[in-house]
Amino acid sequence: MNIEINYPPKLKAISIHAPHAYAICLGIKEAEYRSQPTNRRGWVLIHASQSKQSDDYFVDYGIDPTTVKRGAIIGAVKITSCVGSPENYVYRLANPIKFSRPIEGVKGKQAIFWGAKTDTEKTAFTLASEQIRGYLLNDQD
């Protein structure tokens, strides 16, 4: 697939264990807890990692684990604030979007926020940006 690369250069993604990633995109989870603060505000892509370490949480969130995609950008959310103290920061989240077409085949990163560096990642970020734009345009109607 040959697609014109076009996404905001400051757009980043965050890799999160699948149950929590889906809970965020569905609006069930309105905060993400991290050991590092962030000054980042605005849209961030949500990447559902391959890890199965937190799979017990699917039950808590009422999400059927057979319906999820791992190793995929599944949605986006806005970070509105970051509060907390050392080793315990809360990223407040708003305006969750669960993509109708998850962008599969994307490897996550250990860094809290990561950007598109490879051609595959640039294509994925472009496809994700298109879904965010579509959501925002439809939300204006």
Side-chain angles (χ1 to χ4, degrees):
M1 170 169 69
N2 212 357
I3 137 174
E4 180 184 340
I5 302 300
N6 181 18
Y7 63 91
K10 292 184 178 180
L11 185 64
K12 301 290 184 190
I14 184 170
S15 295
I16 301 174
H17 291 178
H20 305 301
Y22 274 87
I24 287 169
C25 293
L26 292 167
I28 299 167
K29 187 173 189 265
E30 297 177 343
E32 173 65 5
Y33 299 87
R34 294 285 168 145
S35 61
Q36 296 177 4
T38 185
N39 291 324
R40 180 168 299 283
R41 301 293 181 270
W43 290 106
V44 63
L45 302 177
I46 302 297
H47 175 267
S49 75
Q50 294 282 3
S51 175
K52 295 187 177 185
Q53 185 177 339
S54 300
D55 278 11
D56 290 348
Y57 284 94
F58 279 122
V59 172
D60 295 343
Y61 294 130
I63 298 170
D64 179 354
T66 65
T67 65
V68 306
K69 302 286 183 192
R70 296 177 192 266
I73 296 173
I74 62 160
V77 70
K78 275 188 175 180
I79 297 176
T80 59
S81 68
C82 175
V83 296
S85 57
E87 304 299 316
N88 191 23
Y89 292 95
V90 180
Y91 302 177
R92 297 281 176 213
L93 310 173
N95 304 94
I97 302 171
K98 181 178 170 288
F99 292 160
S100 57
R101 297 175 314 278
I103 301 142
E104 298 182 64
V106 181
K107 287 190 177 278
K109 306 276 189 274
Q110 288 293 326
I112 290 185
F113 295 104
W114 51 274
K117 298 214 183 330
T118 68
D119 288 345
T120 299
E121 291 166 349
K122 290 174 183 175
T123 299
F125 275 47
T126 296
L127 293 171
S129 292
E130 289 171 0
Q131 290 193 67
I132 293 170
R133 278 192 285 279
Y135 167 82
L136 293 174
L137 289 173
N138 288 334
D139 202 39
Q140 302 302 313
D141 295 341

